[in-house]
């Protein structure tokens, strides 16, 4: 399998879960910035230095490609209509809440990118708190006999996931050594590096920053590091908070744009239930290329995105099945 391609799109202070109003005009200005006008007549100027640049190609790759981007309006509206079980009732089946993946996937649909994006959004907006009382482990002097591996690895944890930086890094290191990373292999490397290179003091400082993007990314990794130790109550709590963050989701009209350097293209993209969706494509050199060349590039970019969606679907259906079941 070819090397994992990880693409992280970050425009400003948060992942852009934008409610699309439709792009009526998008052009590459003489100042080499992207000028966008939406259907509601709002205007934005995006500095291309702040946008993600990629050279992803239609090379038949069978590796997962991750593009965290805004959620399309129809996907958000569907989630808003989903009942939020804030009382953590017992009406759901035990099978549904067997794992964090199955619980969220059954509710929000989509694939791995939807799973990660929704989790991260709930953390960034403060709905999901990994130190919630429902995430706290009960105090007990009980010890299994014989001693189990899971007990040895989690006995110092105050919560059902390793909130403490040293404990989180230790568990990540053990999982990596034992080839147990599973889905963590498909988290952006920047997120993993944040966890590994942040001290407890630095993490505590991030906790005082409102809607800290860095802390949310670290907390996302911690959740996934400890996902296999979560109980049903914790899984239902996380699912409930993810859904609540979607129901109370605040509209953000700013589109997500990726620069495809190998095509001299700026591509406005979103994420719907089926996968990544292209909203608009413009070219830096479009005044100097023929219509035939323009159409050829657009077809190639559309083909690349379609391939990404198909490969992502196939790879993660198998990966998650193997890891969780």
């Amino acid at each position: 399998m070819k090397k994992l391609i990880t693409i992280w799109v970050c425009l400003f202070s948060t992942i852009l879960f934008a409610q699309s109003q439709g792009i009526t005009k998008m052009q590459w200005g003489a100042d080499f910035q992207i000028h966008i006008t939406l259907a509601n007549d709002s205007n934005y100027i995006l500095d291309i230095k702040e946008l993600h640049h990629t050279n992803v190609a239609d090379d038949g790759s069978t590796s997962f490609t991750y593009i965290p981007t805004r959620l399309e309006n129809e996907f958000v509206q569907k989630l808003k209509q989903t009942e939020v079980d804030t009382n953590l009732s017992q009406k759901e089946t035990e099978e549904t809440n067997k794992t964090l993946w199955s619980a969220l996937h059954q509710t929000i649909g989509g694939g791995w990118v939807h799973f990660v994006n929704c989790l991260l959004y709930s953390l960034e907006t403060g709905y999901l708190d990994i130190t919630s009382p429902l995430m706290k482990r009960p105090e007990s002097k009980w010890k299994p006999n014989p001693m189990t591996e899971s007990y040895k690895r989690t006995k110092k944890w105050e919560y059902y996931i390793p909130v403490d930086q040293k404990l989180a890094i230790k568990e990540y290191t053990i999982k990596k050594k034992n080839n147990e990373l599973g889905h963590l292999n498909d988290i952006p490397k920047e997120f993993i590096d944040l966890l590994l290179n942040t001290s407890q003091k630095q993490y505590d400082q991030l906790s005082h920053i409102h809607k800290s993007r860095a802390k949310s990314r670290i907390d996302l990794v911690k959740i996934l590091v400890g996902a296999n130790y979560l109980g049903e109550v914790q899984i239902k709590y996380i699912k409930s908070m993810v859904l609540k963050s979607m129901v109370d989701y605040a509209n953000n009209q700013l589109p997500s744009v990726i620069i495809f350097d190998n095509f001299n293209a700026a591509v406005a993209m979103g994420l719907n239930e089926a996968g990544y969706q292209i909203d608009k494509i413009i070219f830096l050199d479009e005044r100097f290329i023929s219509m035939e060349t323009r159409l050829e590039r657009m077809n190639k970019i559309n083909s690349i995105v379609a391939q990404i969606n198909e490969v992502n679907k196939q790879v993660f259906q198998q990966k998650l099945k193997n890891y969780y079941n």
Side-chain angles (χ1 to χ4, degrees):
M1 182 175 288
K2 297 183 180 180
K3 185 178 180 181
L4 169 71
I5 303 172
T6 302
I7 302 176
W8 174 245
V9 182
C10 180
L11 298 181
F12 295 98
S13 63
T14 186
I15 290 181
L16 301 175
F17 285 78
Q19 179 172 357
S20 176
Q21 297 291 333
I23 298 175
T24 58
K25 186 178 181 181
M26 179 172 163
Q27 63 182 16
W28 212 310
D31 53 2
F32 293 99
Q33 296 188 10
I34 307 298
H35 297 250
I36 294 177
T37 301
L38 301 182
N40 62 359
D41 293 328
S42 57
N43 295 282
Y44 298 96
I45 299 177
L46 307 181
D47 187 342
I48 63 171
K49 294 192 297 293
E50 299 295 328
L51 304 177
H52 179 80
H53 291 245
T54 180
N55 286 300
V56 63
D58 188 6
D59 57 2
S61 173
T62 57
S63 297
F64 177 72
T65 303
Y66 185 46
I67 311 175
T69 184
R70 64 178 175 82
L71 293 176
E72 291 289 350
N73 181 49
E74 68 270 19
F75 185 77
V76 173
Q77 292 305 315
K78 178 181 177 181
L79 293 184
K80 284 187 175 185
Q81 296 170 12
T82 303
E83 179 182 356
V84 181
D85 185 14
T86 55
N87 293 321
L88 305 181
S89 70
Q90 299 298 317
K91 66 182 179 181
E92 297 168 296
T93 65
E94 182 178 343
E95 187 66 24
T96 299
N97 294 310
K98 181 180 179 182
T99 67
L100 184 58
W101 160 254
S102 62
L104 275 178
H105 178 68
Q106 188 271 341
T107 304
I108 67 177
W112 180 252
V113 290
H114 304 81
F115 174 82
V116 172
N117 272 342
C118 290
L119 263 179
L120 193 53
Y121 182 72
S122 66
L123 287 166
E124 287 200 343
T125 52
Y127 284 94
L128 177 56
D129 180 5
I130 63 173
T131 60
S132 163
L134 287 172
M135 296 293 289
K136 194 175 181 65
R137 291 160 58 102
E139 294 184 9
S140 174
K141 295 182 179 180
W142 174 85
K143 295 181 181 180
N145 187 15
M147 194 73 68
T148 63
E149 179 66 18
S150 61
Y151 176 81
K152 292 178 183 178
R153 287 163 64 165
T154 63
K155 63 181 180 180
K156 294 183 178 180
W157 294 12
E158 185 178 356
Y159 298 88
Y160 279 92
I161 62 172
V163 172
D164 179 86
Q165 280 295 106
K166 289 184 178 179
L167 294 177
I169 293 171
K170 180 180 179 180
E171 177 64 19
Y172 175 84
T173 303
I174 293 173
K175 276 182 161 60
K176 184 175 182 180
K177 180 181 178 181
N178 295 343
N179 196 28
E180 298 172 350
L181 289 179
H183 53 284
L184 283 163
N185 284 317
D186 299 304
I187 292 296
K189 185 176 182 297
E190 303 96 298
F191 293 15
I192 303 296
D193 290 343
L194 262 177
L195 170 70
L196 299 179
N197 298 319
T198 301
S199 68
Q200 185 63 48
K201 181 178 180 180
Q202 291 170 327
Y203 178 80
D204 292 340
Q205 291 173 341
L206 291 175
S207 300
H208 298 298
I209 301 175
H210 182 57
K211 295 183 179 179
S212 168
R213 183 177 61 190
K215 180 180 181 297
S216 298
R217 294 178 178 182
I218 293 172
D219 288 350
L220 172 67
V221 178
K222 288 179 177 179
I223 289 173
L224 298 179
V225 165
N228 56 308
Y229 300 112
L230 293 173
E232 185 175 358
V233 171
Q234 291 72 47
I235 289 173
K236 291 179 71 174
Y237 162 72
I238 293 173
K239 180 176 70 172
S240 176
M241 292 302 101
V242 168
L243 282 176
K244 196 170 190 306
S245 71
M246 291 292 105
V247 171
D248 295 339
Y249 149 87
N251 295 340
N252 185 332
Q253 299 172 354
L254 190 62
S256 302
V257 178
I258 306 170
I259 305 299
F260 282 66
D261 287 317
N262 47 334
F263 294 104
N264 282 331
V267 183
M269 297 181 67
L271 180 67
N272 60 23
E273 190 167 6
Y276 299 117
Q277 172 180 293
I278 293 176
D279 296 326
K280 197 171 184 63
I281 303 174
I282 59 173
F283 299 101
L284 174 62
D285 55 354
E286 61 184 20
R287 291 184 300 168
F288 310 106
I289 60 176
S290 66
M291 179 60 70
E292 182 180 0
T293 299
R294 186 184 306 179
L295 290 175
E296 181 182 359
R297 290 185 190 176
M298 291 177 70
N299 287 336
K300 286 183 178 179
I301 292 172
N302 276 287
S303 176
I304 288 170
V305 173
Q307 177 189 347
I308 287 173
N309 287 334
E310 182 59 30
V311 171
N312 284 356
K313 179 181 177 181
Q314 294 175 2
V315 169
F316 268 91
Q317 281 180 344
Q318 189 59 46
K319 276 182 175 285
L320 292 170
K321 179 180 179 181
N322 291 342
Y323 186 80
Y324 282 117
N325 298 320

